[in-house]
Amino acid sequence: LSEIARERSGVLDKPTYSPLVTSAIKYISEHLTLRLTLKEICDALYTSKSTLSSHFLGEVGMSIGKYIDYRVMISAECALSDSERSILDISDSLGFCDQFYFSRRFKKKYGMSPREFRKSVKKT
């Protein structure tokens, strides 16, 4: 769990971003799902894909796609830790095609299944 905390703190430590990147981060937070696309974000912010992509990568240090994946997995972790929602409900709400794909992605990132993660968090 300490590795997760370290990983979380690294991405959003920068105190200020440009208005464009700040707007993109806000939009991603408000519409967070794996199905969220760069085109959708750019359309909402009235900017081009190349402009947003280059600013985002330069300021945040990762592509928008990786940032969305990162935020989705953090949201999954929080939902598993802080709620009694079913794994299927969490998976659906985050835009995974099915619970099994969600479980595979979660296990790849955290080294344990969502169910095992939830049990480990409840023990502490």
Side-chain angles (χ1 to χ4, degrees), residues 17-27 41-42 44-56 59 64:
Y17 294 117
S18 67
L20 178 62
V21 171
T22 300
S23 295
I25 289 171
K26 182 177 181 204
Y27 188 87
I41 298 165
C42 289
L45 300 179
Y46 304 104
T47 192
S48 71
K49 291 179 186 179
S50 61
T51 297
L52 181 57
S53 294
S54 64
H55 283 268
F56 200 94
E59 293 179 39
I64 290 176

Coordinates of all heavy atoms in Angstrom, one line a residue, residues 17-27 41-42 44-56 59 64:
Y17 N -0.7 24.1 -13.2 CA -0.7 23.8 -14.6 C -1.2 25.0 -15.4 O -2.0 25.8 -14.9 CB -1.5 22.5 -14.9 CG -0.9 21.3 -14.3 CD1 -1.7 20.6 -13.3 CD2 0.3 20.7 -14.7 CE1 -1.2 19.4 -12.8 CE2 0.8 19.6 -14.1 CZ 0.0 18.9 -13.1 OH 0.5 17.8 -12.6
S18 N -1.0 24.9 -16.7 CA -1.6 26.0 -17.6 C -3.1 25.8 -17.5 O -3.6 24.7 -17.2 CB -1.1 25.8 -19.0 OG -1.6 24.6 -19.6
P19 N -3.8 26.8 -17.9 CA -5.3 26.7 -17.9 C -5.8 25.6 -18.8 O -6.8 24.9 -18.4 CB -5.7 28.1 -18.5 CG -4.6 29.0 -18.1 CD -3.4 28.2 -18.2
L20 N -5.2 25.3 -19.9 CA -5.6 24.3 -20.8 C -5.5 22.9 -20.1 O -6.4 22.1 -20.1 CB -4.8 24.3 -22.1 CG -5.1 23.2 -23.1 CD1 -6.6 23.2 -23.5 CD2 -4.2 23.2 -24.3
V21 N -4.3 22.6 -19.5 CA -4.1 21.4 -18.8 C -5.0 21.2 -17.6 O -5.5 20.2 -17.3 CB -2.6 21.2 -18.5 CG1 -2.4 19.9 -17.6 CG2 -1.8 21.1 -19.8
T22 N -5.1 22.3 -16.9 CA -6.0 22.3 -15.7 C -7.4 21.9 -16.1 O -8.1 21.1 -15.5 CB -6.0 23.7 -15.0 OG1 -4.7 23.9 -14.6 CG2 -7.0 23.7 -13.8
S23 N -7.9 22.5 -17.2 CA -9.2 22.2 -17.8 C -9.3 20.8 -18.2 O -10.4 20.1 -18.0 CB -9.6 23.1 -18.9 OG -9.7 24.5 -18.5
A24 N -8.3 20.3 -18.8 CA -8.3 18.9 -19.2 C -8.4 17.9 -18.0 O -9.2 17.0 -18.0 CB -7.1 18.6 -20.1
I25 N -7.6 18.2 -17.0 CA -7.6 17.4 -15.8 C -9.0 17.4 -15.2 O -9.5 16.4 -14.7 CB -6.5 17.8 -14.8 CG1 -5.1 17.4 -15.4 CG2 -6.7 17.2 -13.4 CD1 -3.9 18.0 -14.7
K26 N -9.6 18.6 -15.1 CA -10.9 18.7 -14.5 C -11.9 17.9 -15.3 O -12.8 17.2 -14.8 CB -11.3 20.2 -14.5 CG -12.6 20.4 -13.8 CD -13.0 21.9 -13.7 CE -14.3 22.0 -13.1 NZ -15.0 23.2 -13.4
Y27 N -11.9 18.1 -16.7 CA -12.8 17.3 -17.5 C -12.6 15.8 -17.3 O -13.6 15.1 -17.2 CB -12.6 17.7 -19.0 CG -13.7 17.1 -19.9 CD1 -14.9 17.8 -20.1 CD2 -13.5 15.9 -20.5 CE1 -15.9 17.2 -20.9 CE2 -14.5 15.3 -21.3 CZ -15.7 16.0 -21.5 OH -16.7 15.5 -22.2
I41 N -12.3 15.0 -25.2 CA -11.8 16.0 -24.3 C -11.5 17.3 -25.1 O -11.8 18.4 -24.7 CB -10.5 15.5 -23.6 CG1 -10.8 14.4 -22.7 CG2 -9.8 16.7 -22.8 CD1 -9.6 13.6 -22.3
C42 N -10.9 17.1 -26.3 CA -10.5 18.3 -27.2 C -11.8 19.0 -27.6 O -11.8 20.2 -27.7 CB -9.7 17.8 -28.4 SG -8.0 17.3 -27.9
A44 N -14.6 19.2 -26.1 CA -15.2 19.9 -24.9 C -14.4 21.1 -24.6 O -14.9 22.1 -24.1 CB -15.2 19.0 -23.7
L45 N -13.1 21.1 -24.9 CA -12.2 22.2 -24.5 C -11.9 23.1 -25.7 O -11.2 24.1 -25.6 CB -10.9 21.7 -24.0 CG -11.0 20.9 -22.7 CD1 -9.6 20.4 -22.3 CD2 -11.7 21.6 -21.6
Y46 N -12.5 22.8 -26.9 CA -12.3 23.6 -28.1 C -10.8 23.8 -28.4 O -10.3 24.9 -28.7 CB -13.0 25.0 -28.0 CG -14.5 24.9 -27.7 CD1 -14.9 25.1 -26.4 CD2 -15.4 24.5 -28.6 CE1 -16.3 25.0 -26.1 CE2 -16.7 24.3 -28.3 CZ -17.2 24.6 -27.1 OH -18.5 24.5 -26.8
T47 N -10.1 22.7 -28.5 CA -8.7 22.7 -28.8 C -8.4 21.5 -29.7 O -9.2 20.6 -29.8 CB -7.8 22.7 -27.6 OG1 -6.5 23.0 -27.9 CG2 -7.9 21.4 -26.8
S48 N -7.2 21.6 -30.3 CA -6.8 20.5 -31.2 C -6.1 19.4 -30.4 O -5.6 19.6 -29.3 CB -5.8 21.0 -32.3 OG -4.6 21.3 -31.7
K49 N -6.1 18.2 -31.0 CA -5.5 17.0 -30.3 C -4.0 17.3 -30.1 O -3.5 17.0 -29.1 CB -5.7 15.8 -31.2 CG -7.1 15.3 -31.2 CD -7.2 14.0 -32.1 CE -8.6 13.5 -32.3 NZ -8.6 12.4 -33.2
S50 N -3.3 17.8 -31.1 CA -1.9 18.0 -31.0 C -1.5 19.1 -30.0 O -0.6 18.9 -29.2 CB -1.3 18.4 -32.4 OG -1.9 19.6 -32.8
T51 N -2.3 20.1 -29.9 CA -2.0 21.2 -28.9 C -2.2 20.6 -27.5 O -1.3 20.7 -26.6 CB -3.0 22.4 -29.1 OG1 -2.7 23.0 -30.3 CG2 -2.8 23.4 -28.0
L52 N -3.4 20.0 -27.2 CA -3.6 19.4 -25.9 C -2.6 18.3 -25.6 O -2.0 18.3 -24.5 CB -5.0 18.9 -25.8 CG -5.4 18.3 -24.4 CD1 -5.2 19.4 -23.3 CD2 -6.8 17.8 -24.4
S53 N -2.3 17.4 -26.5 CA -1.4 16.3 -26.2 C 0.0 16.8 -25.9 O 0.6 16.4 -24.9 CB -1.3 15.4 -27.5 OG -2.5 14.7 -27.7
S54 N 0.5 17.8 -26.6 CA 1.9 18.3 -26.3 C 1.9 19.1 -25.0 O 2.9 18.9 -24.3 CB 2.4 19.1 -27.5 OG 1.6 20.3 -27.6
H55 N 0.9 19.9 -24.7 CA 0.9 20.6 -23.5 C 0.8 19.6 -22.3 O 1.5 19.8 -21.3 CB -0.2 21.6 -23.4 CG 0.1 22.9 -24.2 ND1 0.6 24.0 -23.7 CD2 -0.2 23.1 -25.5 CE1 0.8 24.9 -24.6 NE2 0.3 24.4 -25.7
F56 N -0.1 18.7 -22.4 CA -0.4 17.7 -21.3 C 0.9 16.9 -21.0 O 1.3 16.8 -19.9 CB -1.5 16.8 -21.7 CG -2.2 16.1 -20.5 CD1 -3.3 16.7 -19.9 CD2 -1.7 14.9 -20.0 CE1 -3.8 16.1 -18.8 CE2 -2.2 14.3 -18.9 CZ -3.3 14.9 -18.3
E59 N 3.6 19.1 -19.4 CA 3.4 19.6 -18.0 C 3.1 18.4 -17.0 O 3.6 18.5 -15.9 CB 2.2 20.5 -18.0 CG 2.4 21.8 -18.8 CD 1.2 22.7 -18.8 OE1 0.5 22.8 -17.8 OE2 1.0 23.4 -19.8
I64 N -2.1 11.7 -22.3 CA -3.5 11.8 -21.7 C -4.0 10.3 -21.6 O -4.7 10.1 -20.5 CB -4.4 12.6 -22.7 CG1 -4.0 14.1 -22.5 CG2 -5.9 12.4 -22.3 CD1 -4.8 15.0 -23.5

